[in-house]
């Protein structure tokens, strides 16, 4: 069920430092340290405090570290930061898939090319699912079928992924025979 | 003499759709052999060939006015069916120029284009349009140039930007589609937007097609045929509206199969555009009922053979699973197994009465 044979899914490599860059920025949806392969002098590291912090902001421990209360806060700060950047920045991104492509979108909007951005999936496999019928985004979907929060349709989560929307496509599973909805399976923990 | 356009056709509730005998015979039947499998069946898009549908760069037929009206209705409900990313403005003008010049040259009794420098006058007689505008100045048209001209053409269109040795679907007018969403796919690379197609990735079809298209030359357009089936003569089989048309697939019975089931053929054309270096992809949709297909002896026998041997993955992807056996049972008594000529041409010039 998790491999539907659809070829629009991204494949991710491990993060390595790109020596052609002059400045290196690591942004993560988690709170852990950057991978060793990146952690050399001059790496900036942006992380998000876990929700157990309940809005408090733990102090950064090292030089170049910065912490955020939420991924949303990080994303907005990143947009302002990239607006003033020059050539030579390398961006390393780690987190769930929707976070990766949200960051990618922000970076692209500010002129970073795809050779200057490196993505690594980690954390939850839960998916953002866009209902193709009503366009509502359903966040954090862990099951093969989800009831759309917008229109109420029972959506099958297709493996078809849009990097632009950072979302998978949801299609009404019982469109042909209304009411014929199989049991949802937990597939994206 | 010009084309006799049909009025009052409907491609949605209270369907009303008829093909003349000439309309049946010019249908671009997609099966040149008794078996079907994906291939890079691309050929030069030059006038001529086995169907009059290949005679012009952009084919216009008796359904032109009704299809433009249907498109306007879809766009009124869902403006997102036409989207173009901001960097594609040169490709928008390229498209407008190509369509206007082609239609005016190929159908002078219906369309004309007069140029005085950058000041152009476009006349579309079937739709009653007389528009003067300045080429390159979007504010002189009622809407953006790509939307403006594709509202006046049959079939869907997408715009492919070429960069990083790849093609990206960065715009389109998509209202008569076989179950794919421009709103979801816009911005995707070639392999990404073909992601859901089964079997073809493994055989390298998309790798070869992409390599070929990256080298497409200005002035040398190409074409291919693709197909699926649709219940009722419905043009808008979009994923957006699938909850509304999906149940149609359960309504096919041995009694109504010949009227309900339509072979849906896409004449796909690809044009390199001169200024933008983008590719314009035309997806011209033709619908023909099983009842009309049966009037052509070669086509009814060949369709029977293709459906009998179609791989189940393809039947599933094309949405035929629920009613394929009903079609086969209907066609089987009329296929004597005799050898059929290669190619898609009908091999007859008159039809038995409907």
């Amino acid at each position: 069920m998790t491999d539907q044979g659809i070829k629009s899914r991204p494949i991710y490599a491990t993060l390595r430092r790109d020596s052609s860059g002059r400045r290196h920025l690591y942004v993560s949806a988690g709170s852990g340290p950057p991978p060793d392969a990146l952690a050399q002098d001059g790496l900036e590291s942006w992380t998000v405090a876990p929700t157990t912090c309940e809005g408090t902001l733990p102090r950064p421990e090292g030089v170049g570290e910065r912490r955020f209360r939420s991924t949303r806060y990080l994303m907005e700060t990143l947009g302002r930061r990239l607006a003033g950047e020059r050539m030579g920045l390398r961006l390393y991104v780690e987190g769930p898939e929707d976070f990766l492509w949200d960051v990618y979108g922000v970076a692209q909007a500010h002129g970073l090319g795809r050779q200057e951005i490196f993505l690594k999936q980690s954390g939850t496999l839960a998916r953002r699912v866009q209902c193709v019928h009503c366009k509502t985004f359903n966040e954090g979907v862990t099951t093969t079928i989800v009831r759309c929060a917008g229109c109420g349709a029972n959506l099958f989560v297709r493996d078809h992924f849009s990097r632009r929307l950072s979302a998978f496509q949801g299609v009404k599973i019982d469109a042909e025979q209304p009411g014929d909805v199989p049991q949802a399976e937990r597939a994206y923990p | 003499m010009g084309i006799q356009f049909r009025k009052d056709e409907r491609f949605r509730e209270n369907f009303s759709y008829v093909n003349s005998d000439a309309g049946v015979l010019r249908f671009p039947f997609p099966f040149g052999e008794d078996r079907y499998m994906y291939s890079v069946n691309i050929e030069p898009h030059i006038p001529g060939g086995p169907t009059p549908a290949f005679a012009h760069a952009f084919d216009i037929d008796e359904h032109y006015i009704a299809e433009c009206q249907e498109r306007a209705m879809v766009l009124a409900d869902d403006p997102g069916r036409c989207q173009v990313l901001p960097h594609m403005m040169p490709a928008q003008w390229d498209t407008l120029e190509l369509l206007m010049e082609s239609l005016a040259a190929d159908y002078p009794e219906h369309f004309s284009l007069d140029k005085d420098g950058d000041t152009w006058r476009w006349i579309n007689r079937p739709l009653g349009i007389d528009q003067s505008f300045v080429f390159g100045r979007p504010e002189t048209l009622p809407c953006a140039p790509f939307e403006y001209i594709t509202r006046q053409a049959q079939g869907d269109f997408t715009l492919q930007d070429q960069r990083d040795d790849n093609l990206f679907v960065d715009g389109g007018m998509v209202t008569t589609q076989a179950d794919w969403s421009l709103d979801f796919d816009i911005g995707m690379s070639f392999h990404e937007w073909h992601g859901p197609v089964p079997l073809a990735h493994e055989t390298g079809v998309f790798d070869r097609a992409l390599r070929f298209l990256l080298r497409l030359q200005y002035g040398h357009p190409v074409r291919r045929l693709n197909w699926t089936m649709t219940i009722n003569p419905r043009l808008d089989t979009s994923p957006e509206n699938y909850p509304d048309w999906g149940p149609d697939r359960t309504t096919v019975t041995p009694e109504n199969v010949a009227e309900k089931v339509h072979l849906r053929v896409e004449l796909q054309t690809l044009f390199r555009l001169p200024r933008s270096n983008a590719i314009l992809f035309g997806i011209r949709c033709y619908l023909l009922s099983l009842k009309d297909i049966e009037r052509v002896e070669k086509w009814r026998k060949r369709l029977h053979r293709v459906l009998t041997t179609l791989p189940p993955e393809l039947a599933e992807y094309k949405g035929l699973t629920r009613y394929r056996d009903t079609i086969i049972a209907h066609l089987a008594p009329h296929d004597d197994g005799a050898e059929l000529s290669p190619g898609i041409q009908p091999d007859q010039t008159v039809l038995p009465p409907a």
Side-chain angles (χ1 to χ4, degrees):
Chain A
M1 203 61 155
T2 52
D3 181 8
Q4 300 163 23
I6 292 178
K7 310 296 179 191
S8 54
R9 300 262 344 250
I11 296 165
Y12 305 98
T14 51
L15 295 175
R16 286 201 184 76
R17 197 174 172 103
D18 174 12
S19 57
S20 71
R22 299 163 86 171
R23 292 172 305 288
H24 303 268
L25 172 59
Y26 168 79
V27 302
S28 168
S31 54
D36 290 342
L38 292 181
Q40 297 172 28
D41 287 350
L43 178 75
E44 285 181 85
S45 171
W46 291 13
T47 56
V48 177
T51 50
T52 50
C53 289
E54 297 186 10
T56 63
L57 207 54
R59 282 190 176 282
E61 285 160 13
V63 178
E65 283 185 27
R66 190 163 173 185
R67 294 202 174 149
F68 295 85
R69 290 192 172 91
S70 65
T71 52
R72 186 194 171 99
Y73 212 129
L74 181 150
M75 212 81 71
E76 286 179 4
T77 310
L78 181 67
R80 285 197 293 277
R81 159 69 183 272
L82 295 179
E85 264 295 339
R86 291 158 294 124
M87 294 289 283
L89 180 75
R90 296 294 178 270
L91 188 61
Y92 309 88
V93 193
E94 182 164 1
E97 201 157 29
D98 50 358
F99 174 79
L100 298 183
W101 292 98
D102 282 348
V103 170
Y104 188 92
V106 169
Q108 225 181 12
H110 289 93
L112 264 78
R114 63 184 183 132
Q115 281 90 2
E116 298 167 320
I117 312 168
F118 304 89
L119 307 179
K120 171 75 170 70
Q121 187 177 18
S122 71
T124 176
L125 298 177
R127 295 176 165 191
R128 178 184 296 159
V129 177
Q130 189 195 33
C131 174
V132 75
H133 314 299
C134 81
K135 309 297 180 185
T136 297
F137 289 98
N138 296 273
E139 303 284 346
V141 175
T142 58
T143 48
T144 51
I145 298 168
V146 62
R147 189 151 197 274
C148 178
C151 67
N154 285 292
L155 304 176
F156 175 66
V157 181
R158 276 183 110 195
D159 247 356
H160 196 29
F161 182 77
S162 163
R163 290 152 166 84
R164 185 180 66 91
L165 303 170
S166 316
F168 288 84
Q169 190 176 57
V171 180
K172 181 171 175 169
I173 192 162
D174 57 337
E176 298 185 10
Q177 294 236 286
D180 185 11
V181 182
Q183 189 75 39
E185 293 168 34
R186 191 172 154 82
Y188 316 115
Chain B
M1 188 177 113
I3 302 162
Q4 298 301 306
F5 299 109
R6 292 182 177 275
K7 303 275 165 63
D8 304 320
E9 284 192 306
R10 280 183 66 83
F11 303 94
R12 48 178 75 203
E13 311 77 42
N14 314 317
F15 296 94
S16 167
Y17 176 73
V18 179
N19 278 289
S20 63
D21 282 10
V24 173
L25 287 167
R26 75 193 304 283
F27 181 73
F29 188 75
F31 307 117
E33 301 168 12
D34 288 353
R35 279 171 177 270
Y36 174 79
M37 188 52 204
Y38 286 122
S39 61
V40 189
N41 52 335
I42 300 174
E43 62 180 17
H45 186 35
I46 47 179
T51 162
F54 291 164
H56 301 302
F58 301 98
D59 185 46
I60 299 289
D61 68 13
E62 58 189 330
H63 309 294
Y64 173 74
I65 294 176
E67 288 190 24
C68 291
Q69 289 168 344
E70 162 71 13
R71 165 155 293 161
M73 281 191 268
V74 174
L75 289 169
D77 286 345
D78 186 359
R81 300 294 190 88
C82 182
Q83 297 185 47
V84 187
L85 296 182
H87 65 277
M88 299 298 280
M89 189 50 89
Q92 293 205 36
W93 287 108
D94 279 336
T95 302
L96 176 137
E97 177 185 50
L98 176 62
L99 271 159
M100 285 186 177
E101 289 192 339
S102 300
L103 293 177
D106 293 338
Y107 306 94
E109 65 277 42
H110 299 306
F111 306 96
S112 53
L113 179 65
D114 292 306
K115 298 181 182 177
D116 177 10
D118 285 342
T119 302
W120 293 16
R121 183 180 177 195
W122 165 247
I123 297 175
N124 177 334
R125 291 178 196 89
L127 297 183
I129 293 169
D130 183 343
Q131 175 78 45
S132 294
F133 64 99
V134 180
F135 188 85
R137 297 259 306 274
E139 69 277 15
T140 61
L141 284 171
C143 60
F146 179 81
E147 177 179 343
Y148 179 78
I149 195 58
T150 56
R151 276 178 177 267
Q152 301 176 45
Q154 286 175 270
D156 288 344
F157 293 88
T158 63
L159 286 171
Q160 277 66 229
D161 191 29
Q162 182 161 335
R163 58 181 191 271
D164 299 333
D165 282 327
N166 209 326
L167 295 173
F168 295 83
V169 58
D170 285 347
M173 167 68 89
V174 180
T175 67
T176 68
Q177 72 267 48
D179 204 8
W180 72 280
S181 170
L182 173 72
D183 186 57
F184 191 79
D185 287 0
I186 191 169
M188 286 189 184
S189 70
F190 191 81
H191 285 74
E192 286 166 28
W193 89 71
H194 287 112
V197 182
L199 303 181
H201 289 270
E202 289 76 3
T203 57
V205 163
F206 293 123
D207 297 327
R208 292 200 298 282
L210 175 60
R211 276 201 300 276
F212 180 87
L213 293 175
L214 289 173
R215 295 193 304 265
L216 186 68
Q217 297 292 308
Y218 173 66
H220 299 276
V222 296
R223 69 179 169 231
R224 70 183 287 263
L225 295 175
N226 195 13
W227 70 279
T228 184
M229 288 185 154
T230 302
I231 306 309
N232 300 322
R234 187 189 294 276
L235 281 176
D236 175 17
T237 48
S238 57
E240 279 79 2
N241 290 334
Y242 179 45
D244 296 314
W245 58 262
D248 292 356
R249 287 182 172 163
T250 63
T251 63
V252 178
T253 67
E255 290 71 38
N256 67 21
V257 61
E259 286 83 24
K260 280 253 177 203
V261 171
H262 289 69
L263 184 56
R264 183 188 193 99
V265 171
E266 294 174 353
L267 168 53
Q268 303 183 342
T269 51
L270 294 128
F271 298 82
R272 176 72 69 189
L273 299 174
R275 298 173 189 79
S276 57
N277 199 42
I279 290 177
L280 177 68
F281 183 38
I283 312 160
R284 172 75 163 81
C285 175
Y286 298 81
L287 292 169
L288 194 64
S289 68
L290 190 58
K291 195 174 178 174
D292 276 336
I293 292 170
E294 287 183 85
R295 298 167 73 198
V296 179
E297 183 183 356
K298 175 181 168 183
W299 290 355
R300 70 167 177 260
K301 292 180 183 178
R302 178 151 285 158
L303 180 61
H304 172 244
R305 297 172 199 182
V306 166
L307 288 178
T308 308
T309 55
L310 192 69
E313 298 93 328
L314 286 190
E316 176 67 30
Y317 174 66
K318 290 176 184 288
L320 318 181
T321 308
R322 289 182 194 276
Y323 54 85
R324 173 164 75 150
D325 289 345
T326 309
I327 305 172
I328 292 173
H330 180 80
L331 291 174
H334 310 291
D335 181 4
D336 56 8
E339 192 174 333
L340 300 173
S341 67
I344 67 174
Q345 71 287 350
D347 289 350
Q348 65 191 65
T349 52
V350 289
L351 295 175

